[in-house]
């Protein structure tokens, strides 16, 4: 049994008795050097985390498997912490967790924000682009910082999105004697490079030219005239995506995603991804979703990555290659979208065979050849077949008329008992 003890910035003094007993009984004490320095010396062997940690963790746990191990973690070990990682690695039955107050709880307590009404984004080990999806008018966002420059990075992103007027509060060393709070806006932080917002009276204050690494950045999102908020429901404007024309258009995309029916934690294959719009919107449906976009052209692959970053889902995995060969070795999907290349030999057979039970396959067909192929599959397996015809108003001389887009046939089917 491995015991994971959450510890705050107040160190040993802030630990409850149960956590102190666990630390006192440990034969091996593991943690970051900063965390190890918060507890008094005992007879336990001290092991500082190596860098990088994750690749070394399995061997490290195996090496000390026969000893009483206690792991130190900041705050709540199950909130973006080592506790979650150890449970995934070893199973819940081998892990005992003694949590401390999380940075989320402490920050909301200082700010007077209801915890359930706050969005949380961690930049620890993640690119700044993950914040793009959370910045929406009126939302309160807590950003878990990754280094002393986190406030400046957050401020720069806010300004770039047109949210420079958003109030920002930087809470440092929460729970410690050195706790401090600094306030400003996205624009003032970006303009001054951490050299001017007013100090708030939650602690003794801290020099702005040497901010703590232990930071939470609180943002109240205020949209300026240049902001362009993007909804979380399917069917973002076509202008939200960089593309060369190879894009599943807005109305067809909304229908296709409704048939793909993204559920939390599921994996999508977006085959013949083009601009990657289907995969991007799938990921925006829930933060636990995963997606792989498969595209053969290098210029489109680059555009997919830029679209994913801009719309706040940089975790999108992009595979450059031609399907179906490029699908080999990918994890089994819960849903597959084929937006291009349906007529490639073996394409639909490969996608259908890869689907998990209960998985959904959606194929969009535009040409007569792909429509004929889809019709044959529909005749054999059933499912749902619908043809979409969209017309948009456009100038006709001095008047306005309807301009028709190419009709799209959408075949969708769920893999249940169908062979």
């Amino acid at each position: 049994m491995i015991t994971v003890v959450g510890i705050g910035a107040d160190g040993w003094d802030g630990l409850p008795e149960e956590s102190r007993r666990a630390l006192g009984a440990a034969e091996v004490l593991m943690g970051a050097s900063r965390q190890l320095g918060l507890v008094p010396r005992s007879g336990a062997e001290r092991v500082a985390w190596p860098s990088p940690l994750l690749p070394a963790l399995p061997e490290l746990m195996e090496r000390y498997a026969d000893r009483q191990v206690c792991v130190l973690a900041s705050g709540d070990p199950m909130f973006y912490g080592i506790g979650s990682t150890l449970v995934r690695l070893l199973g819940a039955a081998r892990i005992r967790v003694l949590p401390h107050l999380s940075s989320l709880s402490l920050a909301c307590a200082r700010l007077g924000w209801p915890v359930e009404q706050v969005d949380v984004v961690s930049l620890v080990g993640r690119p700044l682009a993950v914040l793009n999806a959370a910045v929406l008018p009126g939302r309160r966002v807590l950003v878990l910082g990754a280094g002393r420059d986190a406030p400046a990075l957050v401020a720069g992103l806010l300004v770039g999105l047109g949210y420079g007027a958003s109030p920002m509060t930087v809470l440092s060393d929460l729970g410690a004697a050195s706790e401090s709070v600094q306030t400003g806006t996205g624009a003032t932080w970006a303009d001054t490079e951490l050299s001017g917002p007013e100090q708030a009276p939650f602690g003794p204050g801290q020099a702005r030219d040497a901010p703590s690494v232990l930071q939470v950045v609180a943002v109240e999102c205020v949209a300026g005239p240049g902001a362009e908020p993007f909804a979380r429901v399917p069917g973002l404007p076509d202008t939200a995506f960089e593309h060369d024309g190879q894009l599943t258009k807005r109305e067809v995309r909304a229908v296709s995603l409704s048939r793909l029916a993204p559920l939390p934690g599921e994996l999508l294959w977006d085959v013949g991804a083009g601009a990657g719009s289907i995969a991007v919107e799938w990921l925006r449906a829930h933060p636990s979703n995963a997606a792989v976009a498969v595209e053969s052209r290098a210029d489109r692959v680059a555009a997919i990555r830029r679209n994913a970053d801009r719309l706040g889902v940089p975790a999108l995995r992009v595979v450059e290659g031609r399907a179906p060969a490029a699908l080999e070795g990918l994890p089994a999907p819960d849903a597959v979208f084929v937006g291009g290349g349906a007529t490639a030999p073996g394409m639909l057979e490969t996608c259908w065979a890869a689907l998990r039970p209960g998985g959904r396959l959606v194929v969009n067909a535009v040409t007569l050849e792909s429509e004929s192929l889809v019709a044959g599959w529909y005749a054999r397996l059933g499912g749902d077949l619908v043809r979409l015809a969209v017309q948009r108003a456009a100038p006709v001389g001095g008047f306005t008329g309807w301009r028709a887009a190419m009709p799209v046939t959408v075949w969708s089917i769920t893999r249940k008992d169908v062979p």
Side-chain angles (χ1 to χ4, degrees):
M1 178 70 69
I2 295 172
T3 301
V4 185
V5 174
I7 189 168
D10 51 356
W12 181 263
D13 292 341
L15 290 176
E17 189 58 36
E18 185 179 12
S19 296
R20 291 185 179 188
R21 285 197 302 268
L23 290 170
E27 297 175 321
V28 179
L29 186 59
M30 297 182 180
S33 297
R34 178 185 58 80
Q35 294 158 350
L36 292 172
L38 293 174
V39 299
R41 287 279 178 179
S42 65
E45 177 183 353
R46 294 191 167 211
V47 178
W49 292 134
S51 181
L53 171 60
L54 292 182
L57 201 55
E59 190 276 333
L60 197 60
M61 293 298 107
E62 180 64 27
R63 187 192 313 167
Y64 294 98
D66 59 345
R67 301 179 67 183
Q68 189 76 20
V69 175
C70 195
V71 172
L72 284 171
S74 295
D76 184 348
M78 302 304 290
F79 179 66
Y80 291 101
I82 190 66
S84 303
T85 302
L86 290 173
V87 167
R88 286 195 300 270
L89 179 65
L90 304 174
R94 293 184 57 188
I95 306 297
R96 177 190 179 211
V97 178
L98 302 177
H100 197 275
L101 284 173
S102 69
S103 56
L104 169 63
S105 295
L106 288 170
C108 286
R110 302 295 189 268
L111 297 165
W113 289 5
V115 175
E116 72 276 7
Q117 297 177 14
V118 172
D119 297 323
V120 181
V121 177
S122 174
L123 299 184
V124 180
R126 297 171 177 84
L128 181 65
V130 297
L131 184 55
N132 283 330
V135 178
L136 294 169
R139 296 302 299 165
R140 288 172 166 173
V141 184
L142 283 182
V143 184
L144 308 183
R148 292 181 174 85
D149 58 349
L153 293 174
V154 171
L157 181 141
L158 291 171
V159 171
L161 293 177
Y163 287 76
S166 301
M168 274 179 56
T169 304
V170 178
L171 304 101
S172 302
D173 296 328
L174 283 165
S178 59
E179 178 179 318
S180 68
V181 172
Q182 299 162 332
T183 61
T185 67
T188 58
W189 237 284
D191 288 343
T192 61
E193 287 289 330
L194 302 180
S195 62
E198 175 187 350
Q199 294 282 347
F202 288 128
Q206 184 175 356
R208 292 188 57 81
D209 59 351
S212 169
V213 175
L214 302 177
Q215 296 175 333
V216 175
V217 182
V219 180
E220 296 183 83
C221 300
V222 176
E228 187 179 4
F230 291 125
R232 283 300 183 84
V233 296
L236 290 178
D238 293 347
T239 54
F241 300 93
E242 175 188 338
H243 64 92
D244 59 3
Q246 192 67 21
L247 173 76
T248 303
K249 300 303 190 291
R250 182 178 195 171
E251 295 80 6
V252 176
R253 190 181 337 119
V255 171
S256 300
L257 281 158
S258 74
R259 281 155 171 74
L260 288 166
L263 296 174
E266 290 192 327
L267 170 67
L268 168 78
W269 287 359
D270 183 358
V271 183
S277 61
I278 292 289
V280 166
E281 293 220 47
W282 170 279
L283 289 173
R284 285 172 59 87
H286 195 274
S288 67
N289 285 356
V292 180
V294 181
E295 173 55 49
S296 61
R297 283 181 45 171
D299 57 339
R300 290 176 180 166
V301 165
I304 291 171
R305 293 196 172 106
R306 289 191 291 270
N307 286 331
D309 283 352
R310 180 179 180 230
L311 291 166
V313 288
L316 172 61
R317 179 181 175 186
V318 186
V319 173
E320 183 177 347
R322 190 171 298 279
L327 304 175
E328 185 177 352
L330 295 180
D334 301 286
V336 177
F337 175 73
V338 181
T343 57
M347 175 73 83
L348 296 190
E349 289 85 354
T350 300
C351 293
W352 180 249
L355 271 177
R356 296 178 184 272
R360 289 82 63 198
L361 172 65
V362 175
V363 183
N364 284 5
V366 177
T367 66
L368 290 175
E369 290 78 8
S370 58
E371 278 195 341
S372 176
L373 178 68
V374 162
W377 279 77
Y378 173 71
R380 292 196 306 275
L381 301 182
D384 181 61
L385 194 63
V386 63
R387 200 169 199 229
L388 304 178
V390 177
Q391 298 180 339
R392 293 184 176 86
V396 179
F399 299 91
T400 303
W402 294 106
R403 191 176 302 279
M406 290 185 68
V408 178
T409 299
V410 180
W411 176 55
S412 57
I413 186 170
T414 299
R415 180 160 192 165
K416 294 179 180 176
D417 298 328
V418 181

